Amino acid sequence: MFIKELWTYSKKITLAFILFIILWSYLNYKQGAVAAPMYVYGMYAGKFFVSDTQRVIQLYANNKIIDLTKYSIIDRDLMQTSLQYYVAQKPVNEATFLTMKRILDHAYIGHLMLKEKYTNNISDKEFTRWYIQLVERIVGYHVVSLVAYEQKYLWKKDRLVPVSPPLKITSLVTN
Amino acid sequence: MLLTNKHIRQFALFYCGCFILNFSWLAYNRITFVGLQPVFFISRLDFTRNLLMLTDLQHLLLGNSIICWLFDIIYVGLPVLLTIAVYKDVRSKTLIAICTAAFSLIYGSFISAVCYMSPELFVGFIFIPILFSTDSLKTFYYYLHCLRFLFILIFVSAGLWKIKQAGLFNIEEMAGILLYQHNGYIISNDHDWYTRIIYSLIQYPAIAYLFYFIGTCIELLFVAGLFTRKFDTILIVAFFLFILFDLLLMRINYFSWTAFMGCFYFSKFHLYDDRNDENVNVSA
């Protein structure tokens, strides 16, 4: 067996290796936080259904919808997730900070975590400026106005159909 | 076949090639710090990243193009330097290897905080440099098998999660995933060829599920690698099929994990053991 061979060769390497596996298994068992490079590799393990409600972001540049099918996988992911992450960053960063601080407090190093280090100092206007530049680079034309909506969709018969009115994402502050 | 220093150099070249290809792809798509010029970050429940954030590097990187350039240059420079060090067999290769692994961890942690890139994609480039930190052929051999073992556990754990969270027992699973993964894309254009393929798979969930089932079987197939190295070539082929279909159906690029396949390719080489005057044959 490999571990036995490894033990014969070096007890230190074996112990380090076993410790790594135990820690990684523990993180898998706890299913909460990870510790890079020990990640939890779920890879779409949870249940998904066709009847699940889909929340979709649609972008309108210069009053015209951006057709995502025209762009590369990376570009459309960049356009969509950058906005999604920006909208989510404030509550996510806050919650992560509180959870991590609570855990690190147990190790007596929680006081080193200063909130300003875990918070973004960016206004919606600054984000919008950056985001418009990103969208302009991808779509290849000058963007005068950029509006984003989030809408709920459901699979009906043979396609996705909207089931809620589009909600404007107010983090984008263009006219 | 005996493991020699030539194989270490070959593996280093393979690793460097995988790294350069992956970085070129990232740079071409502007998902590097220079390309993104990030202005905000998003946190994650990751102890390592949160400890790294104590240094406040995240704020230094935001809107600071010099630091962004520096990060990208160091990230791409270290693996190249490491490969040269392995080829020239210089003494400092141990230090370079440790620095490469550590910096890949830092880079992966921070770049995944400023864009949608998953930090898991950097795992190969964090672990593999450690292989080259060794001066002895024997240590390289055991490190190689440790990494091979680790990758098997990673891949098999992904399969086990699908059993534990019952995704594997849901016939609608893949159709639901495709809908979730591509919802923004498919509502953009009904007539697009890829939209029509996704629509077809959603309408026939059993066919879509077949891909999910085969994918999970491939993940679980790696468990064989814990007991024997006989099937490593099959595992390499299965891995490439897995990442190819992941790219085609899910549009997720796992090619950065290709570097791990070196562990499976070079696992066939044995170590000459002076103690017993015979080849050490590690069972897995």
Side-chain angles (χ1 to χ4, degrees):
Chain A
M1 200 184 164
F2 171 61
I3 299 291
K4 212 172 143 188
E5 292 285 344
L6 190 64
W7 180 260
T8 319
Y9 172 65
S10 164
K11 289 176 181 53
K12 269 187 202 166
I13 296 175
T14 315
L15 287 174
F17 186 59
I18 290 174
L19 185 70
F20 185 89
I21 303 287
I22 290 171
L23 276 173
W24 180 63
S25 307
Y26 177 74
L27 291 171
N28 267 271
Y29 170 74
K30 289 294 280 183
Q31 296 178 45
V34 293
M38 291 178 271
Y39 297 109
V40 174
Y41 299 88
M43 293 160 121
Y44 289 97
K47 280 190 173 179
F48 287 81
F49 296 97
V50 174
S51 56
D52 290 345
T53 304
Q54 308 294 329
R55 289 171 178 272
V56 182
I57 287 181
Q58 283 176 298
L59 286 169
Y60 289 80
N62 305 339
N63 300 318
K64 210 177 153 202
I65 191 162
I66 294 179
D67 177 1
L68 293 178
T69 60
K70 284 183 180 169
Y71 308 103
S72 72
I73 318 164
I74 308 294
D75 284 343
R76 58 180 183 253
D77 278 348
L78 267 178
M79 278 195 281
Q80 289 207 302
T81 56
S82 299
L83 185 57
Q84 281 169 333
Y85 283 5
Y86 179 72
V87 173
Q89 53 85 24
K90 213 171 178 179
V92 168
N93 289 2
E94 173 91 25
T96 310
F97 172 77
L98 292 173
T99 309
M100 280 293 160
K101 191 164 174 13
R102 205 172 51 238
I103 298 169
L104 294 184
D105 272 339
H106 292 302
Y108 304 104
I109 51 168
H111 64 280
L112 295 173
M113 282 184 79
L114 303 174
K115 198 167 180 191
E116 58 264 30
K117 287 185 182 174
Y118 296 82
T119 314
N120 288 299
N121 314 311
I122 184 175
S123 64
D124 286 350
K125 211 171 176 179
E126 286 168 315
F127 167 74
T128 305
R129 203 179 307 131
W130 175 84
Y131 189 63
I132 286 178
Q133 281 178 357
L134 175 86
V135 173
E136 276 183 341
R137 176 180 63 77
I138 293 168
V139 297
Y141 54 79
H142 182 56
V143 174
V144 180
S145 73
L146 186 67
V147 187
Y149 294 96
E150 190 185 71
Q151 198 167 12
K152 287 178 185 167
Y153 279 75
L154 273 177
W155 181 260
K156 296 263 172 80
K157 207 175 162 191
D158 61 353
R159 63 195 58 243
L160 275 175
V161 290
V163 290
S164 74
L167 281 177
K168 191 174 174 182
I169 296 174
T170 53
S171 304
L172 281 181
V173 287
T174 46
N175 299 317
Chain B
M1 282 176 286
L2 287 180
L3 186 75
T4 63
N5 284 319
K6 192 181 95 182
H7 297 126
I8 299 181
R9 290 196 293 272
Q10 283 176 347
F11 197 163
L13 203 64
F14 173 69
Y15 150 74
C16 193
C18 289
F19 179 86
I20 296 288
L21 276 176
N22 186 64
F23 187 81
S24 306
W25 178 80
L26 294 177
Y28 175 74
N29 288 294
R30 296 197 184 201
I31 31 181
T32 58
F33 282 107
V34 173
L36 286 165
Q37 295 288 332
V39 288
F40 74 95
F41 62 88
I42 189 157
S43 298
R44 198 174 195 251
L45 277 176
D46 179 339
F47 287 108
T48 315
R49 184 197 283 180
N50 281 277
L51 288 175
L52 287 170
M53 283 169 81
L54 290 173
T55 61
D56 212 17
L57 260 175
Q58 64 279 14
H59 281 110
L60 264 178
L61 282 159
L62 300 182
N64 189 332
S65 54
I66 296 171
I67 304 286
C68 287
W69 269 105
L70 208 65
F71 250 62
D72 285 344
I73 289 170
I74 296 172
Y75 180 62
V76 79
L78 279 171
V80 176
L81 195 67
L82 177 62
T83 309
I84 295 168
V86 171
Y87 257 80
K88 300 224 168 193
D89 198 22
V90 293
R91 274 177 129 193
S92 55
K93 71 176 179 187
T94 304
L95 181 68
I96 299 170
I98 292 165
C99 289
T100 309
F103 195 77
S104 298
L105 175 69
I106 295 169
Y107 191 92
S109 291
F110 283 114
I111 194 97
S112 58
V114 298
C115 76
Y116 70 92
M117 285 283 287
S118 167
E120 288 88 342
L121 295 172
F122 293 86
V123 155
F125 300 132
I126 295 169
F127 284 120
I128 288 169
I130 298 167
L131 272 181
F132 309 112
S133 66
T134 169
D135 273 331
S136 103
L137 199 60
K138 206 178 252 181
T139 313
F140 174 84
Y141 176 84
Y142 283 106
Y143 278 7
L144 179 110
H145 282 276
C146 281
L147 270 193
R148 181 181 166 278
F149 201 91
L150 195 70
F151 182 77
I152 290 171
L153 292 184
I154 288 173
F155 227 57
V156 172
S157 78
L160 292 176
W161 272 112
K162 289 177 181 73
I163 294 172
K164 189 181 180 289
Q165 298 201 329
L168 189 64
F169 311 114
N170 174 24
I171 195 83
E172 275 189 37
E173 183 72 5
M174 191 66 189
I177 290 172
L178 288 171
L179 208 51
Y180 171 79
Q181 181 77 355
H182 304 297
N183 55 29
Y185 185 92
I186 56 183
I187 63 150
S188 282
N189 188 343
D190 267 351
H191 307 292
D192 176 70
W193 67 272
Y194 191 72
T195 301
R196 277 186 281 169
I197 290 174
I198 298 299
Y199 270 167
S200 308
L201 285 168
I202 296 166
Q203 281 173 298
Y204 298 99
I207 295 172
Y209 174 77
L210 208 60
F211 287 103
Y212 188 82
F213 181 78
I214 294 169
T216 311
C217 286
I218 289 176
E219 287 168 345
L220 295 172
L221 184 72
F222 270 74
V223 82
L226 293 177
F227 307 101
T228 178
R229 289 175 292 161
K230 277 183 202 162
F231 307 124
D232 278 12
T233 312
I234 295 169
L235 294 181
I236 292 172
V237 175
F239 171 80
F240 278 106
L241 278 175
F242 181 90
I243 56 167
L244 181 69
F245 277 92
D246 220 349
L247 184 70
L248 292 175
L249 284 179
M250 298 291 290
R251 301 287 178 160
I252 298 173
N253 186 338
Y254 269 104
F255 279 91
S256 60
W257 282 9
T258 302
F260 272 118
M261 288 304 104
C263 299
F264 289 81
Y265 177 77
F266 290 99
S267 69
K268 64 186 172 205
F269 298 102
H270 300 288
L271 190 68
Y272 189 79
D273 192 341
D274 302 330
R275 289 167 308 166
N276 305 320
D277 201 26
E278 65 183 18
N279 294 339
V280 170
N281 193 350
V282 175
S283 56

